[in-house]
Every structure is written in structure tokens, then in C-alpha cells.
Amino acid sequence: GYFTLNQTGAIGITTTGAPVPSITETGALPPGLTFTDEANGSALIQGTPPALGTTTLTIIRMMFMGREPSTRE
């Protein structure tokens, strides 16, 4: 998705799964933008960017099945 300089915008992120996944982001959002996990399998990046530029973000979907996630099974 993209945003337009000095105009309010939003990008929705949707996941599926049971239990409902949480969504997190890593990386610095540009000034004027916020990230919100809606706690229902969706998240929203929204706001008004005051400057031109590009940003790289990592979006992570996590599901907890009654225990902490592990890198080994």
C-alpha cells in the first residue's frame, strides 16, 4: 500500500487462524503514521505523512496455542 503526502490514509492488514492471531510490526514508522493491532486478526496503519520517503516494515502474525511460541518442536 501507499500513502499520499499530507493526506490522511490507512492500510488494513488481515490475517486468519484459530486462535485469533496477534499482529505486531517492527521498524520505525514514518512521522505521522501509527500501527494498531485491533486484537481480532486485523491491524491498521493510519495517519497523515508530512514528508516524502520510503520505509521498510516487518509485519509478524503470532498464534498462541496455550504455550509460548518456540523455534523448536
Side-chain angles (χ1 to χ4, degrees), residues 10 13 19-20 24 33 41 46 50 57-59 63-64 71-73:
I13 301 158
V20 174
T24 60
L33 299 181
Q46 63 185 344
L57 296 174
T58 300
I59 307 294
M63 296 173 56
F64 295 95
T71 57
R72 296 184 306 167
E73 288 297 323

Side-chain angles (χ1 to χ4, degrees), residues 24-37:
T24 60
E25 60 85 19
T26 60
L29 286 169
L33 299 181
T34 60
F35 176 90
T36 305
D37 178 3

Side-chain angles (χ1 to χ4, degrees), residues 1-71:
Y2 64 92
F3 288 89
T4 302
L5 179 65
N6 293 321
Q7 293 184 12
T8 300
I11 296 173
I13 301 158
T14 304
T15 64
T16 60
V20 174
S22 63
I23 305 170
T24 60
E25 60 85 19
T26 60
L29 286 169
L33 299 181
T34 60
F35 176 90
T36 305
D37 178 3
E38 300 291 340
N40 63 2
S42 67
L44 192 62
I45 298 174
Q46 63 185 344
T48 306
L52 295 174
T54 59
T55 297
T56 300
L57 296 174
T58 300
I59 307 294
I60 301 169
R61 174 186 80 132
M62 297 183 74
M63 296 173 56
F64 295 95
M65 305 289 275
R67 56 186 160 76
E68 291 297 312
S70 174
T71 57

